[in-house]
Amino acid sequence: MIEVSNLSYAAGDTRILHDVSTRIEKGGITALIGPNGAGKSTLLHCLSGLETPSAGSVRIDGIDPLAVRPEERARVVALLQQSPVLVSRLSVRDLVSFGRWPHHQGRPKAEDRDMVERALTAFSLTDLAERTIATLSGGQRQRAFIAMTWAQDTPWMLLDEPLNALDPRHARDLMARLHGLSRDGARSIVIVLHDINAAAGWADHIVAMKDGRIVAQDTSHELLTEPTLREVFDTPFELLEHRGRKVVVAR
Amino acid sequence: MKAWLITLALLAALVVASLLIGVASMGDDPVWLMVVSRIPRTAAALLAGAGLALAGVVVQQVVQNRMVEPSFTGAPEASMLGLLAVMLLVPGMAVAGKMLVAAAAAMVGMLGYLALAARLPREDPMLLPIVGIVYGGVLGAVGVYIAWSADLMQSLGAWRLGEFSGVMIGRYEWLWAIAALAGLLYVIADRITILGLGETQARSLGLDYAQTRMLGLVVVSVITALVLVTVGAFPFVGLVAPNIVARWRGDNLRANLPLIAVGGGALLLAADVIGRIVRFPFEIPAATVIAVFGAAVFLWLLHAAPGRRHG
Amino acid sequence: MAERRVLFLGLGLLMICAGFLAWQIRAPYGFILELRAAKLGALVCVGAATGAATVLFQTVAGNRLLTPGLVGFDALFVLLQTLLVVALGGVGAAQIPGGLRFLMELVALAVCSAALFGLLLRRDARDITKMILTGVILGVLLRGLAEMVQRMMDPSEFAVVQQAIFASFGNVDNGQLAVSAMVLLASLAAALRMAPALDVAGLGRETARGLGLNHDRVVMMALLLMAAMVSVSTALVGPITFLGLLTASLARRLTNTHRHAVLLPAAALIGALILVAGQFVFERLMGAQSALAVIVEFFGGLLFLALVLQKKARR
């Protein structure tokens, strides 16, 4: 469980998070949604322990990510940044292997190699394993980075807008994969999503943010109601039901 | 394996050529000539080249841009400023002290560059080398002004245009420190590769980013100072060697650092040998040869590089 | 308004020039005046040529950070000079009268630069930063090549030739100065004549062509004129990379216009003003001879960095 208490974050004079408190339960996919500038990404970075909040605290499974040593933290929580900037001739396998770095610090064991292969398989990268990052398409590259984060084998996996720059097919494919992989309950995924319907379709829980505060938090089904969405996004919505899933259309 | 065979064969040929070519005649006392002049000169070129290539790859990982190298970060120019200060303020300082000052100055220069670089838009990767070149030029202008006012232009000229004609036994041994630094880099090769993934990703993997980056920059500063004080500055070695190796073998430093080092050494030795041959018995400084060759390769890399704008 | 400022610039330049000539003058008046006049002529020519050439280049390239010096125009000139000496032999080159040799070099530079930089501008027009980087490295390459060729010449022969080729403000050949001044005036006049076309060309290739301008022809013409101006400044004193940047930026800021009919003369005047005033301060007031170029490089480089960073802030 992630527990956030009275978290505030300021960059210079701009306050980005205002006294945020919440609990994110283990298991499944939790989506962070909200308009641009709501503080979703900042909250995610604070959860990962990569940003130091100006006040308040974060506990991941009881651990303060800022208090423990970096490699210890990296065995509990993994973050994939938004559109990672990398023009690299690293091979896909090399990149994914770096996900094991917090576990072996440069001396990989058999189980590390095994995990890399499993991550490659899980994200259908086996055929691309020897290709270099620079030669991949946008969708393949995003998959390779997520596979690296996956190989980190942390109970918590935080993804910052992984659907950015993916076309609908690859976006659906990726969400379905993450959904499938998170069913066994061993991994909990917290994911910032721009597309409400991606959240509606695949997330178990949704946290809705606005102006640096959490406005609503519930299971996807309960949270996705017209009044809540209207309040979060300042625009009227229409909700449809399609095969038991909610579909959201901005009016 | 093939890459290694080719590189080593090339290296062997260059070493033989370097040992055999020179103005002094072998006739009188070949062993003495070898020990005093030819072997030191060959070793100096190899060590300096290897060091610059390694420094180049570290800088490229730190700024996440493969079009940058130490001489595009103001490091050599800052180092020269430090050396000028030593000559003016503490003229009798021992070589070790000079090295230390030069390395510290290089570090300050590079930190200044990184501060500038952090303010540049990420989506325009070509700005990094341009800004670095101009920044180095500004520092260089300060150096020229000081040197010119203090009548030290000759020293400055020797630093700015590296060459090996003055290398002999007893005058280059500092460069062996590069071998030790190369060993250190090999130990932390994975960390340096992870630096290249960017700060967020590196920290998410549990790397102490700031500390690793500092360590890398210290290594670059020390190498810059060692090479500058002993044989002078050489442009492009740190750019060309890592880029060619990366094109050939990819970016995993654990696997490629040795090849990059050997490649850099071979490159600079080749420049020195060519400089000795083309206008025999006169010599063209290796820095001039490498500037022409390096600039040509850079232009090729710039226009042949695929996918440089992704991400 | 802008025109009035150009007028003031002209008056300012005249006053500084008068001061430069008359400051603490002693007998023999005629001799000293002649020396100073030659130096003044060189300063004015170089400053004006660099300023106007940079405005032309920035218009053609569609970028206000570029200068001919930054992309190695002057290096190309030095390389051509050297190659000419190699082709004719040192003694042969030294025997050709200064003016004629200068004209030969000028034609060679105009042709080569139009070919080289025309290609560069065309190929990389979409990616400005890549073009700048290419230009900068091209400059390094050309400079290195020139140095290589010079070092491959017979050292004694080169020493003789170097005297003939490379001058400085302190050592100006009157014949060359006269030719330079004429070339400069002619190209300035030609550039002013095509000022309206340059205004349109400054809108960018697509827009300009949409407006019916033969953009490629204008670019070629501008490149040729610029080559002539760069030859003038490089032949007289050698490269000062960032003088053009300082000058063109000041000219744009001061006149606040895109009209070349105003910009070109303003840049020419400011370039001359910077050099004359700078030399006056350094040589007459501070007693330092040749530090001017270094100072210009220093402040020009700082300006470049400031402009790059400011560009980011505005986004």
Side-chain angles (χ1 to χ4, degrees):
Chain A
M1 182 173 61
I2 296 184
E3 291 175 273
V4 179
S5 341
N6 307 102
L7 193 75
S8 293
Y9 184 91
D13 292 337
T14 333
R15 295 202 42 187
I16 299 175
L17 294 177
H18 300 268
D19 200 24
V20 172
S21 296
T22 186
R23 299 159 77 126
I24 298 174
E25 297 295 336
K26 245 184 150 58
I29 297 181
T30 304
L32 294 180
I33 63 168
N36 294 334
K40 308 180 294 281
S41 198
T42 309
L43 178 60
L44 201 73
H45 277 72
C46 285
L47 295 185
S48 72
L50 293 190
E51 288 289 357
T52 310
S54 29
S57 69
V58 172
R59 292 281 179 282
I60 307 177
D61 297 342
I63 297 170
D64 178 356
L66 290 167
V68 298
R69 295 191 320 167
E71 62 270 20
E72 207 171 311
R73 181 202 69 221
R75 290 195 289 263
V76 179
V77 56
L79 173 87
L80 180 66
Q81 73 186 100
Q82 195 176 339
S83 44
V85 186
L86 184 70
V87 183
S88 178
R89 291 198 177 77
L90 274 179
S91 72
V92 172
R93 178 173 276 115
D94 284 342
L95 181 75
V96 175
S97 301
F98 279 125
R100 298 305 298 164
W101 202 76
H103 299 269
H104 62 64
Q105 302 274 313
R107 280 175 295 278
K109 292 186 271 300
E111 64 185 74
D112 295 311
R113 287 189 205 97
D114 189 48
M115 185 67 211
V116 170
E117 294 313 313
R118 284 204 314 243
L120 288 171
T121 313
F123 290 88
S124 309
L125 290 164
T126 324
D127 292 342
L128 301 173
E130 303 311 324
R131 291 263 299 274
T132 60
I133 304 297
T135 62
L136 300 183
S137 72
Q140 294 167 335
R141 188 172 308 172
Q142 189 65 284
R143 250 171 36 221
F145 273 99
I146 293 178
M148 174 182 87
T149 315
W150 182 262
Q152 216 170 319
D153 197 18
T154 50
W156 291 90
M157 203 169 149
L158 314 182
L159 306 175
D160 195 357
E161 299 205 17
L163 305 186
N164 249 5
L166 294 190
D167 59 32
R169 183 171 78 93
H170 285 105
R172 198 212 79 92
D173 180 59
L174 182 64
M175 286 312 294
R177 234 179 253 278
L178 290 173
H179 185 78
L181 290 168
S182 67
R183 284 312 91 187
D184 63 1
R187 308 262 191 142
S188 317
I189 299 175
V190 182
I191 183 167
V192 173
L193 288 176
H194 228 89
D195 176 2
I196 309 172
N197 283 310
W202 302 106
D204 302 291
H205 290 85
I206 294 183
V207 176
M209 294 185 69
K210 184 185 179 185
D211 299 333
R213 295 189 172 84
I214 292 180
V215 183
Q217 177 173 3
D218 212 327
T219 61
S220 311
H221 199 81
E222 297 296 320
L223 184 130
L224 292 172
T225 57
E226 210 282 335
T228 308
L229 290 176
R230 184 203 286 261
E231 190 198 336
V232 173
F233 290 98
D234 280 328
T235 182
F237 282 89
E238 200 167 334
L239 269 82
L240 315 168
E241 287 265 328
H242 178 68
R243 294 189 184 165
R245 277 180 182 172
K246 288 190 171 171
V247 178
V248 180
V249 186
R251 258 201 325 227
Chain B
M1 217 53 238
K2 205 177 101 200
W4 270 108
L5 281 180
I6 296 175
T7 312
L8 287 179
L10 205 72
L11 186 69
L14 280 168
V15 168
V16 170
S18 170
L19 291 177
L20 293 181
I21 297 167
V23 178
S25 136
M26 284 283 186
D28 314 331
D29 189 349
V31 176
W32 182 84
L33 181 67
M34 280 290 161
V35 171
V36 169
S37 164
R38 296 285 167 76
I39 292 177
R41 181 169 188 164
T42 307
L46 287 174
L47 286 167
L52 291 172
L54 291 174
V57 85
V58 172
V59 169
Q60 285 159 21
Q61 296 291 321
V62 167
V63 300
Q64 288 189 273
N65 187 318
R66 58 177 78 250
M67 290 298 170
V68 175
E69 69 133 10
S71 71
F72 296 175
T73 64
E77 286 82 4
S79 214
M80 289 175 209
L81 283 176
L83 288 171
L84 282 173
V86 168
M87 294 182 84
L88 289 173
L89 304 175
V90 204
M93 194 184 261
V95 184
K98 274 197 209 169
M99 292 281 180
L100 215 61
V101 172
M107 186 77 187
V108 173
M110 260 192 299
L111 289 176
Y113 170 69
L114 290 176
L116 277 179
R119 300 184 56 191
L120 293 174
R122 303 224 44 156
E123 62 270 26
D124 212 345
M126 302 275 162
L127 271 179
L128 278 174
I130 296 174
V131 163
I133 292 169
V134 175
Y135 172 69
V138 170
L139 292 182
V142 176
V144 169
Y145 185 78
I146 294 174
W148 181 82
S149 320
D151 210 9
L152 292 171
M153 281 304 272
Q154 210 171 357
S155 306
L156 192 69
W159 296 325
R160 274 152 66 107
L161 200 63
E163 49 130 3
F164 295 97
S165 64
V167 171
M168 50 195 269
I169 196 163
R171 283 219 197 146
Y172 82 105
E173 281 71 6
W174 277 94
L175 288 177
W176 285 103
I178 287 174
L181 290 170
L184 169 67
L185 278 182
Y186 190 70
V187 171
I188 61 168
D190 283 339
R191 287 159 207 258
I192 303 283
T193 315
I194 294 177
L195 276 187
L197 298 177
E199 178 169 0
T200 307
Q201 225 45 68
R203 289 181 57 207
S204 173
L205 288 172
L207 187 78
D208 189 333
Y209 182 83
Q211 191 192 6
T212 312
R213 190 173 89 147
M214 226 18 151
L215 184 62
L217 291 179
V218 167
V219 171
V220 173
S221 308
V222 174
I223 290 178
T224 303
L226 286 170
V227 175
L228 186 77
V229 173
T230 322
V231 284
F234 300 90
F236 290 116
V237 180
L239 191 119
V240 169
N243 267 294
I244 290 181
V245 172
R247 289 198 147 244
W248 203 1
R249 298 265 309 243
D251 269 340
N252 194 339
L253 295 185
R254 169 71 70 202
N256 291 340
L257 269 187
L259 197 61
I260 291 173
V262 171
L267 193 67
L268 199 49
L269 184 60
D272 184 40
V273 170
I274 291 171
R276 275 184 260 172
I277 296 173
V278 281
R279 191 67 188 92
F280 194 85
F282 301 104
E283 289 197 7
I284 297 178
T288 307
V289 178
I290 201 79
V292 171
F293 176 74
V297 173
F298 189 114
L299 287 178
W300 169 68
L301 286 171
L302 193 57
H303 288 269
R308 64 177 186 78
R309 275 195 177 263
H310 289 298
Chain C
M1 187 61 204
E3 277 85 349
R4 193 130 48 94
R5 291 201 175 156
V6 175
L7 205 66
F8 280 130
L9 278 176
L11 286 176
L13 180 60
L14 277 181
M15 274 162 57
I16 290 271
C17 286
F20 187 88
L21 287 175
W23 179 262
Q24 289 182 347
I25 192 161
R26 266 170 270 134
Y29 295 104
F31 176 70
I32 292 186
L33 263 184
E34 197 177 316
L35 265 182
R36 287 188 180 181
K39 190 181 266 186
L40 180 68
L43 287 167
V44 170
C45 276
V46 169
T50 311
T54 306
V55 167
L56 279 179
F57 193 51
Q58 292 185 343
T59 297
V60 165
N63 183 292
R64 301 199 176 164
L65 288 175
L66 277 177
T67 73
L70 198 61
V71 303
F73 243 91
D74 46 275
L76 181 61
F77 184 73
V78 173
L79 178 62
L80 285 172
Q81 278 183 321
T82 315
L83 287 177
L84 197 71
V85 172
V86 171
L88 298 175
V91 184
Q95 275 168 353
I96 304 177
L100 181 62
R101 198 183 65 220
F102 182 58
L103 276 179
M104 285 167 67
E105 289 163 358
L106 206 160
V107 172
L109 178 71
V111 172
C112 289
S113 61
L116 195 58
F117 293 96
L119 192 74
L120 176 70
L121 291 175
R122 182 67 51 79
R123 254 195 71 162
D124 293 332
R126 272 157 209 281
D127 191 343
I128 301 283
T129 2
K130 187 173 178 186
M131 179 169 79
I132 303 181
L133 189 56
T134 306
V136 171
I137 301 297
L138 200 60
V140 175
L141 178 65
L142 292 170
R143 242 159 264 158
L145 274 176
E147 202 184 309
M148 280 277 263
V149 176
Q150 285 164 15
R151 288 196 183 251
M152 289 174 70
M153 294 164 61
D154 194 281
S156 53
E157 194 178 40
F158 177 66
V160 177
V161 176
Q162 196 175 25
Q163 283 277 307
I165 296 183
F166 301 105
S168 72
F169 285 128
N171 163 32
V172 179
D173 172 17
N174 280 336
Q176 198 171 17
L177 183 58
V179 177
S180 299
M182 281 189 299
V183 170
L184 174 62
L185 282 176
S187 18
L188 265 179
L192 278 176
R193 248 181 67 96
M194 62 187 285
L198 286 169
D199 295 347
V200 179
L203 298 174
R205 184 157 191 268
E206 296 310 315
T207 317
R209 291 184 57 194
L211 291 171
L213 185 77
N214 187 342
H215 187 264
D216 294 352
R217 223 187 61 143
V218 172
V219 166
M220 267 312 149
M221 273 300 292
L223 274 176
L224 288 178
L225 293 176
M226 184 180 61
M229 293 182 198
V230 173
S231 323
V232 167
S233 69
T234 314
L236 285 177
V237 288
I240 309 178
T241 311
F242 283 117
L243 176 62
L245 187 72
L246 273 177
T247 310
S249 304
L250 278 175
R252 286 185 203 278
R253 185 126 323 166
L254 209 66
T255 61
N256 198 18
T257 179
H258 68 280
R259 281 165 45 228
H260 288 79
V262 178
L263 266 182
L264 283 169
L269 288 171
I270 291 174
L273 207 59
I274 290 179
L275 277 189
V276 177
Q279 187 76 9
F280 183 76
V281 169
F282 274 96
E283 192 180 323
R284 297 289 139 75
L285 303 184
M286 291 168 59
Q289 270 287 344
S290 58
L292 179 60
V294 177
I295 300 287
V296 171
E297 296 297 66
F298 178 72
F299 285 107
L302 283 186
L303 174 71
F304 181 90
L305 293 178
L307 286 175
V308 169
L309 292 174
Q310 186 193 7
K311 195 173 112 192
K312 189 228 174 175
R314 227 184 277 142
R315 269 182 202 183

